[in-house]
Amino acid sequence: MPTRKTTTLNLGITLFKDKLSSSLTKQTISVLQINLGKRCNLACTHCHVEASPKRTEELSPTICQQLIRLIHQFPEIQVVDLTGGAPEMNYGFKQLVEAARCTGKQVIVRSNLTIYFEDGFGDLPEYFAKHQVQVVASLPCYIADNVDKMRGTGVFDASIKALQWLNQLGYGKKSDLSLDLVYNPPLPTSEKFSLAPEQTKLERDYKIFLQEHFGIVFNNLFTITNLAVGRTKMYLERKKLHNSYLQFLESNFNHSTVEHLMCLNELSVDYLGNVYDCDFNQMMNLPAKTRNGESLTVAKLLEFGSLNLINEIQTASYCYGCTAGCGSSCGGALL
């Protein structure tokens, strides 16, 4: 239970840090998540990164080389998690994959699947299989109309073809070729909010439907709560639902999720080399801080030869999205 005085924001919710019995502090860093840039072939309505075909921001050669040094220098990093935008479209993608794999680290690519059908990217499924890259693919529903409303016309059909392609290469079938799907709830249209369905049951429903209709198999389904960040936040504000949505998430705060939060053992890096506690803080420009209160960068991690420079994890009201109900993370439900 909270042990300190609570503060209420103008939004009508309690400061997230006041919900906690103690400050959030980093554990051993095992996950390095890199956002390679904003370039993407899609412009999904719920995208917290606000990526699109019109965005041009991406990793530079200098920051890419710093990240490769980081990957080689710190054996405690077990997972290199590549995201975007469409990470595959942004500079340095294959360099980072190969740097991580040659040092024995697991590589995750957060793929929108449709990128495989864009000019110049048709080699990706075979490339992923060659390097045993774990594919985590967005498929926010197994019904075509729902997917196309969130992600664009034709995205469902292209996603199905991509999943079948990955299956043909052994993804979802071979132990070293993991294929996971991601479910995001539809954005609310009224104050009748709900949390994501129970992950295990929904995974079973996905597997039955996709197998029966398309012959598709996959490993795991991850349910991820929509956080009030990026386009989701803009949408909620337009609908005048932002504050009430945060209040809903706070009302479902589950203290048991806190010890499993992804920010505890993760560093998130943007295309400029700035370091954050998580991807959501990155999108809201809330940088990780050193013990001296300075914003952290990849260059500083290399200079000090340590990943253990963060005193306290930065939090905000949207953190309630990660702690509501069964919890939420880039790896799905926490409980």
Side-chain angles (χ1 to χ4, degrees), residues 311-327:
N311 185 36
E312 181 177 342
I313 293 172
Q314 304 298 305
T315 61
S317 57
Y318 48 79
C319 297
Y320 283 116
C322 293
T323 55
C326 290

Side-chain angles (χ1 to χ4, degrees), residues 59-324:
L59 202 66
S60 69
T62 299
I63 301 302
C64 183
Q65 288 306 308
Q66 289 180 359
L67 287 165
I68 289 172
R69 286 177 57 198
L70 199 75
I71 288 167
H72 280 272
Q73 187 169 329
F74 295 100
E76 59 264 46
I77 297 173
Q78 299 172 18
V79 178
V80 176
D81 186 342
L82 302 177
T83 185
E88 306 98 323
M89 289 185 72
N90 292 273
Y91 179 85
F93 174 74
K94 289 185 177 179
Q95 295 179 59
L96 292 168
V97 168
E98 290 163 30
R101 292 302 294 145
C102 80
T103 54
K105 303 182 193 303
Q106 176 187 357
V107 176
I108 296 173
V109 57
R110 297 191 179 271
S111 181
N112 66 29
L113 298 174
T114 64
I115 186 64
Y116 312 157
F117 305 106
E118 299 287 342
D119 289 344
F121 298 98
D123 67 322
L124 285 173
E126 284 80 7
Y127 179 84
F128 293 162
K130 176 184 176 181
H131 293 282
Q132 299 177 332
V133 174
Q134 178 183 349
V135 178
V136 177
S138 178
L139 193 71
C141 186
Y142 50 75
I143 304 300
D145 286 349
N146 292 345
V147 172
D148 287 359
K149 284 177 183 176
M150 292 179 73
R151 312 198 68 204
T153 302
V155 168
F156 180 81
D157 288 344
S159 298
I160 293 299
K161 291 177 183 176
L163 291 171
Q164 291 169 333
W165 187 353
L166 291 168
N167 278 173
Q168 289 169 7
L169 294 170
Y171 271 96
K173 300 176 181 180
K174 296 181 179 179
S175 60
D176 59 353
L177 296 178
S178 181
L179 173 61
D180 302 315
L181 302 183
V182 174
Y183 166 86
N184 290 91
L187 296 177
T189 57
S190 70
E191 292 191 355
K192 293 181 179 179
F193 304 120
S194 61
L195 299 174
E198 199 275 321
Q199 184 169 277
T200 302
K201 180 182 181 302
L202 188 60
E203 176 181 289
R204 185 167 59 248
D205 293 343
Y206 262 70
K207 286 186 171 180
I208 291 171
F209 187 90
L210 292 176
Q211 173 71 60
E212 288 183 351
H213 290 80
F214 305 107
I216 290 170
V217 295
F218 65 94
N219 295 99
N220 305 292
L221 178 75
F222 300 147
T223 57
I224 299 182
T225 300
N226 290 318
L227 268 69
V229 172
R231 287 198 189 113
T232 297
K233 181 183 179 183
M234 288 185 248
Y235 169 87
L236 292 169
E237 288 175 337
R238 284 198 307 272
K239 295 288 186 180
K240 297 183 170 31
L241 295 172
H242 179 248
N243 292 3
S244 53
Y245 182 63
L246 290 176
Q247 291 166 358
F248 166 77
L249 294 176
E250 183 194 357
S251 70
N252 284 278
F253 174 79
N254 183 349
H255 198 275
S256 298
T257 63
V258 174
E259 64 182 297
H260 305 289
L261 289 171
M262 65 181 182
C263 56
L264 297 177
N265 65 346
E266 174 184 292
L267 293 179
S268 173
V269 181
D270 69 11
Y271 61 92
L272 296 171
N274 300 307
V275 177
Y276 305 81
D277 293 306
C278 72
D279 189 47
F280 300 112
N281 279 359
Q282 181 183 145
M283 295 311 128
M284 296 301 288
N285 196 29
L286 187 62
K289 300 288 188 180
T290 67
R291 288 179 171 81
N292 295 327
E294 299 174 348
S295 295
L296 194 57
T297 64
V298 174
K300 286 181 182 176
L301 294 174
L302 292 169
E303 177 187 350
F304 285 93
S306 173
L307 301 179
N308 186 29
L309 300 180
I310 297 171
N311 185 36
E312 181 177 342
I313 293 172
Q314 304 298 305
T315 61
S317 57
Y318 48 79
C319 297
Y320 283 116
C322 293
T323 55

